[in-house]
Amino acid sequence: MRLRNLGQKLKGLLKQGLTPKELALSISIAVLIGVFPIYGTTTFILAFLALRLRLNLPIMIAVSYVLTPAQILLIIPFARLGEFLFGFETLGMDMESLQNAYTEGFFAVISKYSGRLILAVGSWLIIAVPVAVFLYIFLFQVFRAIKSSRKGSENKISSEIK
């Protein structure tokens, strides 16, 4: 039931005038930025990219908000992967210390963990960018197939009416 509902919503988005390319690009960029390892920056980055690239900001924000738990959970793994990839010593960093730093404010996190956040961004670039490219290609094919099947059914209905 829910999968059918999701399909109907995707068809509705295509009926609103979004091309499969715009829809796939909006979602893949939202996924890419939605797991960006610096918490609290995604909305600003998405707004800038949506305005700059003329993409669908509401879809991008919605996808980003859905990915917020994944973003939070991936901060430490991205940092650890960055430490490994770039040959840095492991810093004592866990979820509790991050939460405490965030309660002090965004700049407290930056001052305490700036080096690790840079490593996390580096590993995010290495992992998330290729994933987003493959996601874009996949979503573009899916949305193009949905649009062509919708056109086919519209043509069939119009030919039956005649």
Side-chain angles (χ1 to χ4, degrees):
M1 181 70 177
R2 290 186 177 180
L3 190 57
R4 182 179 299 156
N5 191 19
L6 178 64
Q8 293 298 329
K9 288 182 181 185
L10 290 175
K11 286 181 182 181
L13 289 172
L14 289 170
K15 287 180 183 177
Q16 291 178 355
L18 290 174
T19 66
K21 180 181 177 182
E22 292 169 336
L23 190 55
L25 191 57
S26 294
I27 292 173
S28 60
I29 288 177
V31 169
L32 173 68
I33 302 301
V35 295
F36 186 68
I38 300 179
Y39 184 75
T41 60
T42 56
T43 302
F44 299 110
I45 296 170
L46 286 174
F48 173 78
L49 290 173
L51 292 172
R52 185 80 175 147
L53 300 173
R54 295 186 176 165
L55 297 174
N56 191 305
L57 182 60
I59 290 173
M60 294 172 78
I61 296 294
V63 169
S64 172
Y65 284 173
V66 167
L67 289 173
T68 298
Q71 177 192 22
I72 293 168
L73 291 174
L74 287 173
I75 292 172
I76 293 174
F78 277 137
R80 295 286 184 241
L81 181 62
E83 290 169 345
F84 172 75
L85 290 174
F86 301 113
F88 283 80
E89 186 177 317
T90 302
L91 177 69
M93 185 165 116
D94 57 16
M95 195 58 88
E96 185 177 335
S97 63
L98 275 176
Q99 286 174 336
N100 290 338
Y102 270 111
T103 58
E104 297 170 19
F106 177 75
F107 292 107
V109 175
I110 295 298
S111 67
K112 187 172 183 180
Y113 295 111
S114 60
R116 296 307 172 225
L117 289 175
I118 290 170
L119 293 174
V121 169
S123 64
W124 167 80
L125 282 169
I126 292 170
I127 299 295
V129 171
V131 169
V133 169
F134 287 119
L135 182 64
Y136 167 74
I137 294 167
F138 173 75
L139 289 175
F140 178 69
Q141 297 300 323
V142 168
F143 296 143
R144 192 171 68 172
I146 290 172
K147 187 172 184 173
S148 66
S149 72
R150 192 188 80 203
K151 279 186 178 180
S153 65
E154 288 174 0
N155 290 339
K156 183 178 178 184
I157 291 172
S158 65
S159 67
E160 289 174 0
I161 293 174
K162 292 179 183 181

